[in-house]
Amino acid sequence: MTISYQWLRQYIDTSLSAEQIAEVLTSIGLEVESMEQVDAVMGGLKGVVVGEVLTCDKHPDADRLRLTTVRVDDGDPLQIVCGAPNVAAGQKVLVATIGAKIYPSEGEPFVIKKGKIRGAESHGMICAEDELGLGQSHDGIMVLAAEATVGTPAASHLGIESDIAISIGLTPNRTDAFSHFGVARDLYAALQNMPDSKDTQSKLKTVVSPELSNQLPPCPITVTAENGALATTYSGVVISGVSVGPSPEWLKKRLATIGVKSINAIVDVTNYVQHELGQPVHAFDADRLRGNAIQLRMAAEGETLVTLDQTERKLSTADLIIADGEGPICLAGVLGGLDSGVSDATTSLFIESACFNSVLVRKTARRHTLNTDASFRFERGTDPQMPALALQRTVELILQVAGGKVESSPAVAVDEVPAPARITTSIGYMHQLIGFAIPAETIVSILNNLDIRILRQEGEQLELELPLYRTDVRRPADVVEEVLRIYGYNHIPFPKGLRTSLSFPAQPDPESIQRKVSDALCSIGFHEAMSMSLTKASYATLVEDEAYTEARAVSILNPLSGDLAHMRTTLLYSGLENLAYNQNHRQVDLRLFEFGKEYRTKDQRYFEEMHLGLFMTGRRNNESWNNTSDKTDFYNLKGAVEHILGIMGIAVTPKEATHVHFDQMMELHAGKKCVARLGVVKEDLQRRFDVKQTVYYADILWENAIASVSKSYVKYEAPEKFPAVRRDLSLLLDSAITFEQIRSTAQDTERKLLRKVELFDVYEGKNLDAGKKSYAVSFTLQDPTKTMTDQQTEAIMKRILDALISKLGASLR
């Protein structure tokens, strides 16, 4: 939100500069993000002062130039060459001194420098209107009134006020500060608690406007509400005889400072009141209201409305609207209708001021993807007591800038302002929560300055009544926060000592392990990706597996768009999006990993699981003349997975499996738990995401992996004292036999002394029968207690070979 420094000072007496105010506001939770000077005239007329022409003589070398001496301060007069025909001695004029930057009405800005004109030195410039950007006249210099004071800055003399736009990053709960008066109210409370500030006696100037008379005739427009749940207050009044035209300069400047474009006097007044009081108001063209009726109601299914942005909107029963006698004319609290809006031909107005149901306004705005200044405030909750004052203030300003006459007393459809909330707390509770004893009288003073009424005080016990405009203060802890932010977080002293007890995280520590795994992946060439948990609703139809269908997806009740309608059911889809994006930007050799949660629902219960996804595609190494075909393959991915599982101290067993996302895959199990699935992503799935090269993906079930980590995942084993023995077998097998079957058969046959089974060659083709292949397999044997003999080794190998022959149909080549 942006506020004007000069506008803010209309409501509070303070001598603080904009920078000092920004510091105070930030200290009380209204964080100032930036400040920008806004000049009514470009450059702010800096360096331009009131001067007096002492002498005016003809230039010795030019008929049309005058040689003048001009007094601009108490020092020596300046000699200035002037070409204006109307310059004369005794005049009070505006003088641009050396170094001043001038912004003319036409042409580029320039800096005044000392120079010579036809041989005569000139130390400044006596200015015309257009030369200062004050108008278009160039008939001569500006001649001021005789009483003008020499040396006065031009901006001060002309009453041209520069301003400073202060941008405040408000948190959504601080709806009370969405206006200049709201910020002034908070600033006032802070200044009263600053004993070292001379502004402690500053006064908060409340906004006062003449009350609307109830003695006038009843409103000619009937105003009703479908039910009292749609708003806490809704009222309006008719003004006739208005003249719609441009706003006065003061109103244009106020709105321009905060970045609001001037439209016409009526619309500008409604915008002014909204930013002044935080209460949106709306003006209808009363002559265009059909049936002389206004109704606050929910829309009927199928009704339509053309809004002020010239968009036809189809309404539903979830939309809160304003209707006249024939149909919708406004999305209540969001955006007005085109047919009932104010135009240059408008002469009669119906001014509406209300406190709408915040939930209904939010749903209406979201459904139509609208975010207006009005909806921004109503969605978060406005002060239910403010509509009456805002209506009075709007009427007052419209009569001032557009003329007209109030035709009726206010028409009221709803007037159910809730009673202020009450809570009970104590001084002791505040001290306990803050951790520091603020004097009781200071607490009472702060509460009073925040409009929190103390209904009863008995000892340390306090019964408080909360202001209606503070929709975020509802609990004793909220009151403590209010006291502390006004007292000042910086005023809480640091303790002289700190007592604490050492705590040790439970082992294994998931966060520590995640950091180690992330570091390990980065060390082998992976980059971390971070994707949103929200994904497209269309992803629920990519595969037919029950776990990934729309029935199992967690859908968002009020999605911002179709691309953000579901919580993701797998990391794979967002990972493929990342790969496609990178490949489209000429990054084709990729290794990415992502930690994130997957979400599902079943039997009206919600589940979320932590996963680690690894993605590999493209080349294994950087492109070079000697490795042009060095492509990433499945075993690179498998090695990366085994690497990080080894860091975690998890021993795994591979198992064959199938999965809806993979063409080829395997699972890694730790005991009975599956800790990872890895393989080649299906081609048709890659094409859906416009990924043009093979993708290898590993899905590590992080929670299962953490549960499989031993408490001490660094284990020491003494070096073996006795040598290992290796024997190789060249086996002829059916093509359907896998190496995993060979390994498991061998390990089942010799569990005690067989250390490793490795495949070092595979052959199929010439000199082999059809349907056959050759495996060259090494077997490593080792006895930890003694050196193995040849007889012992040969006996073990014979048992293994016999098992391979009997179970797998193997034969020696």
Side-chain angles (χ1 to χ4, degrees), residues 752-792:
K752 184 177 179 182
L753 301 181
L754 182 61
R755 293 289 181 263
K756 284 192 300 184
V757 181
E758 293 182 328
L759 177 67
F760 62 89
D761 189 32
V762 179
Y763 177 73
E764 288 182 278
K766 189 177 180 181
N767 299 327
L768 291 184
D769 295 338
K772 296 290 185 177
K773 63 182 175 182
S774 173
Y775 277 166
V777 185
S778 68
F779 300 85
T780 302
L781 304 170
Q782 189 174 35
D783 189 332
T785 62
K786 62 182 179 180
T787 299
M788 295 185 65
T789 65
D790 288 342
Q791 294 83 354
Q792 184 182 14

Side-chain angles (χ1 to χ4, degrees), residues 506-519:
Q507 294 296 331
D509 177 18
E511 292 185 2
S512 175
I513 295 174
Q514 182 172 332
R515 286 194 298 270
K516 289 183 178 181
V517 168
S518 296
D519 291 343

Side-chain angles (χ1 to χ4, degrees), residues 544-731:
E544 296 181 358
D545 190 283
E546 180 187 352
Y548 303 97
T549 58
E550 190 166 7
R552 294 294 305 276
V554 179
S555 58
I556 305 302
L557 294 179
N558 295 302
L560 294 175
S561 69
D563 289 347
L564 304 171
H566 283 176
M567 304 295 287
R568 64 184 172 195
T569 54
T570 174
L571 297 180
L572 176 59
Y573 300 157
S574 55
L576 290 174
E577 286 179 338
N578 292 334
L579 294 179
Y581 179 85
N582 278 277
Q583 289 178 4
N584 290 336
H585 288 76
R586 309 287 293 179
Q587 300 295 320
V588 296
D589 303 324
L590 298 166
R591 292 188 177 196
L592 303 178
F593 75 93
E594 178 174 8
F595 282 97
K597 289 186 177 181
E598 297 178 356
Y599 306 85
R600 293 184 183 86
T601 179
K602 186 176 182 181
D603 300 330
Q604 298 183 338
R605 296 178 61 195
Y606 296 96
F607 304 89
E608 56 182 69
E609 296 177 343
M610 191 70 173
H611 286 247
L612 167 60
L614 273 62
F615 301 84
M616 297 181 71
T617 185
R619 299 180 185 88
R620 183 186 301 122
N621 300 304
N622 292 334
E623 186 176 10
S624 176
W625 64 271
N626 63 351
N627 61 1
T628 54
S629 61
D630 189 21
K631 298 290 187 182
T632 296
D633 59 25
F634 170 79
Y635 296 100
N636 298 134
L637 177 67
K638 181 172 178 285
V641 173
E642 290 178 340
H643 174 62
I644 61 174
L645 292 178
I647 290 174
M648 298 170 70
I650 302 175
V652 293
T653 302
K655 292 190 178 180
E656 291 188 17
T658 59
H659 193 273
V660 67
H661 290 147
F662 298 100
D663 277 332
Q664 303 170 21
M665 70 161 295
M666 71 163 54
E667 290 183 349
L668 299 180
H669 288 249
K672 295 183 179 180
K673 292 183 178 180
C674 175
V675 294
R677 302 185 185 99
L678 56 154
V680 184
V681 178
K682 286 188 173 181
E683 285 190 28
D684 62 337
L685 196 56
Q686 292 176 195
R687 286 195 297 269
R688 294 283 190 94
F689 290 86
D690 197 29
V691 178
K692 301 177 178 63
Q693 55 192 30
T694 304
V695 176
Y696 301 92
Y697 172 61
D699 178 19
I700 297 176
L701 289 69
W702 188 249
E703 293 173 7
N704 286 354
I706 290 295
S708 303
V709 174
S710 60
K711 291 188 177 181
S712 175
Y713 42 89
V714 175
K715 295 182 178 179
Y716 170 76
E717 289 185 4
E720 296 290 350
K721 297 179 181 179
F722 302 98
V725 177
R726 169 174 165 163
R727 292 288 187 270
D728 297 340
L729 296 178
S730 181
L731 302 171

Side-chain angles (χ1 to χ4, degrees), residues 434-436 487-499:
I434 294 172
F436 173 75
Y487 181 79
Y489 294 101
N490 293 338
H491 293 159
I492 303 297
F494 284 102
K496 295 181 179 179
L498 181 64
R499 295 182 179 179

Side-chain angles (χ1 to χ4, degrees), residues 312-368:
E312 183 178 45
R313 303 184 182 276
K314 293 183 180 180
L315 307 181
S316 77
T317 55
D319 293 327
L320 180 64
I321 64 165
I322 308 296
D324 62 9
E326 297 184 17
I329 59 172
C330 178
L331 289 175
V334 182
L335 188 62
L338 184 63
D339 293 338
S340 62
V342 175
S343 67
D344 292 344
T346 298
T347 59
S348 183
L349 302 171
F350 178 77
I351 310 299
E352 159 200 280
S353 184
C355 180
F356 296 112
N357 183 306
S358 60
V359 174
L360 296 178
V361 172
R362 182 167 60 251
K363 288 183 176 180
T364 301
R366 290 293 176 271
R367 210 180 79 79
H368 295 282

Side-chain angles (χ1 to χ4, degrees), residues 274-289:
Q274 177 175 258
H275 288 279
E276 179 185 45
L277 300 176
Q279 171 63 45
V281 292
H282 188 68
F284 296 97
D285 187 329
D287 294 331
R288 300 168 77 178
L289 297 178

Side-chain angles (χ1 to χ4, degrees), residues 250-270:
W250 69 267
L251 181 52
K252 289 181 180 178
K253 289 176 181 177
R254 284 284 182 257
L255 295 178
T257 299
I258 60 174
V260 177
K261 182 181 178 181
S262 176
I263 298 175
N264 59 50
I266 306 302
V267 176
D268 289 355
V269 165
T270 60

Side-chain angles (χ1 to χ4, degrees), residues 17 25 87 90 107 308 368 388 459 470 613 618 697 743:
S17 66
L25 292 178
V87 64
L308 286 171
H368 295 282
R470 289 308 303 270
Y697 172 61
R743 176 163 52 188

